[in-house]
């Protein structure tokens, strides 16, 4: 098992070095080693909370206080967390490959920014931004805990977390950036995501159909495991730093 992982790492490292356009699509598993719970699986948020009560526009319209209390709790967890060696490795890959490396993340925690990635597409928004439901103003807000729940805009409108809930369209700008990167990728890495949420998961299909080789880093199998040339079954924080050794 260990030998298979080591052989996989050697060949993926070579592919990463040679590839001209690499995309890493990341999910909650990348932040798991920073102590931030994932959504699905053992210990995942959806084991204790029902998504339709917390992560839909209908839930927010029904009970903005409840939704904000959940986000306030998560912001507390995230603000005490630090980027882990997996985040640091992804930032180092960007430094080494320059414009040839794009991270597309489904995470809203901001840990890729804190680790240093700059070519970064945030598909599902950012938990540190608020958006006014009346005037649309987006503001950075790092208050932990929030002073008032639910918070309001100077225009008196209700503020919501600037994230993408189920049933909501992704930001056109972010989505177009992600599609562009996926279409031109020659290596597509799927890291720490169950790849069950669309349209994000569709980016792997797009990249694969356009000719990219696919690598998966995840302790569990995903719906794309069959299509992957590399399946490294382990923790992102352990495997990603190995890709940088003897580069
Ligand atoms: C490790 C690890 C370690 C652990 N190292 N790995 C059928 C029914 C109902 C709806 C749909 C349907 N089919 C499609 C839909 C639509 C829906 C959808 O995809 N649902 C599926 C669940 C079925 N999608 C949407 O609604 C999207 N919008 C949309 O489609 O709009 C259409 C539209 C068009 C035009 C106008 C209007 C509408 C929006 C989806 C938004 C998702 N939002 C959330 C919340 C974000 C905000 C927040 O965080 O609060 O995004 S849900 C949640 O899931 C979050 C995540 O970004 C996303 C993906 O989860 P992720 O990151 O993959 O995490 P997990 O927990 O699933 O997986 C973690 C993985 O890590 C596991 O595999 C572990 O093994 C692994 N792991 N430790 C490496 N150390
Ligand atoms: Zn406003």
């Amino acid at each position: 098992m260990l030998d298979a992982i080591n052989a996989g790492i050697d060949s993926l490292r070579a592919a990463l070095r040679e590839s001209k356009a690499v995309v890493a699509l990341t999910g909650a598993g990348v932040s798991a080693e920073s102590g931030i719970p994932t959504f699905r699986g053992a210990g995942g948020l959806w084991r204790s909370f029902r998504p339709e009560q917390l992560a839909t526009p209908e839930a927010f319209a029904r009970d903005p206080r409840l939704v904000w209390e959940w986000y306030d709790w998560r912001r507390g967890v995230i603000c005490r967390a630090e980027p882990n060696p997996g985040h640091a490795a992804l930032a180092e890959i960007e430094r080494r490959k320059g414009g040839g490396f794009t991270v597309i993340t489904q995470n809203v925690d901001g840990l890729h920014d804190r680790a240093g990635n700059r070519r970064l597409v945030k598909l599902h928004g950012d938990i540190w931004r608020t958006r006014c439901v009346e005037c649309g103003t987006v503001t950075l807000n790092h208050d932990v805990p929030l002073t008032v729940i639910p918070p309001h805009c100077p225009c008196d409108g209700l503020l919501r977390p600037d994230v993408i809930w189920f049933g909501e369209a992704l930001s056109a700008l972010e989505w177009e950036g992600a599609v562009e990167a996926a279409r031109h990728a020659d290596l597509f890495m799927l890291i720490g995501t169950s790849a069950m949420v669309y349209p994000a998961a569709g980016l792997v299909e797009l990249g694969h159909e356009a000719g990219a080789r696919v690598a998966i880093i995840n302790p569990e199998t995903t719906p794309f495991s069959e299509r992957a040339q590399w399946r490294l079954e382990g923790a992102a924080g352990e495997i990603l730093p190995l890709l940088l050794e003897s580069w």
Side-chain angles (χ1 to χ4, degrees):
M1 176 70 170
L2 207 56
D3 282 351
I5 287 189
N6 285 339
I9 285 170
D10 288 344
S11 105
L12 179 55
R13 183 188 299 118
L16 183 57
R17 235 179 8 224
E18 290 155 11
S19 298
K20 298 279 176 274
V22 182
V23 164
L25 174 63
T26 67
V30 167
S31 295
E33 291 154 89
S34 296
I36 300 174
T38 61
F39 292 93
R40 296 162 189 85
L45 291 168
W46 297 154
R47 287 286 167 102
S48 323
F49 304 98
R50 304 241 312 271
E52 62 275 20
Q53 284 180 346
L54 294 164
T56 64
E58 294 77 18
F60 187 69
R62 198 183 314 122
D63 195 342
R65 172 180 295 274
L66 176 75
V67 172
W68 263 119
E69 279 169 353
W70 187 61
Y71 276 92
D72 195 40
W73 168 72
R74 285 178 59 204
R75 285 160 58 108
V77 172
I78 293 166
C79 91
R80 287 187 290 277
E82 294 293 331
N84 66 56
H87 294 107
L90 290 169
E92 179 58 24
I93 294 172
E94 181 181 313
R95 273 189 287 277
R96 293 188 190 182
K97 294 207 71 78
F101 184 65
T102 305
V103 172
I104 303 173
T105 191
Q106 299 166 85
N107 298 344
V108 299
D109 56 31
L111 291 188
H112 285 307
D113 311 65
R114 282 172 58 191
N117 283 101
R118 293 295 171 259
R119 284 179 67 88
L120 180 61
V121 179
K122 295 186 192 177
L123 280 185
H124 291 164
D126 187 326
I127 203 167
W128 300 111
R129 299 193 305 243
T130 61
R131 174 154 45 93
C132 175
V133 300
E134 299 298 335
C135 70
T137 302
V138 172
T139 309
L140 274 178
N141 175 321
H142 283 92
D143 298 347
V144 176
L146 286 163
T147 43
V148 183
I149 292 182
H152 283 79
C153 179
C155 86
D156 230 21
L158 188 59
L159 293 176
R160 57 164 283 176
D162 191 26
V163 299
I164 310 292
W165 286 321
F166 285 113
E168 293 189 312
L170 278 56
S171 137
L173 195 68
E174 305 289 323
W175 180 245
E176 281 157 20
V179 167
E180 177 77 5
R183 275 215 188 104
H184 292 99
D186 49 7
L187 175 63
F188 197 112
M189 300 165 77
L190 192 63
I191 309 171
T193 172
S194 60
M196 285 170 56
V197 172
Y198 280 80
L203 292 167
V204 196
E205 296 169 47
L206 203 64
H208 184 248
E209 279 159 20
R213 292 186 287 173
V214 175
I216 299 182
I217 300 175
N218 194 317
E220 308 286 339
T221 56
T222 76
F224 295 97
S225 296
E226 298 288 302
R227 269 173 268 185
Q229 177 153 351
W230 296 272
R231 287 183 298 276
L232 299 175
E233 293 178 359
E238 290 169 17
I239 291 179
L240 285 169
L242 297 177
L243 294 175
L244 294 166
E245 286 180 1
S246 349
W247 178 274

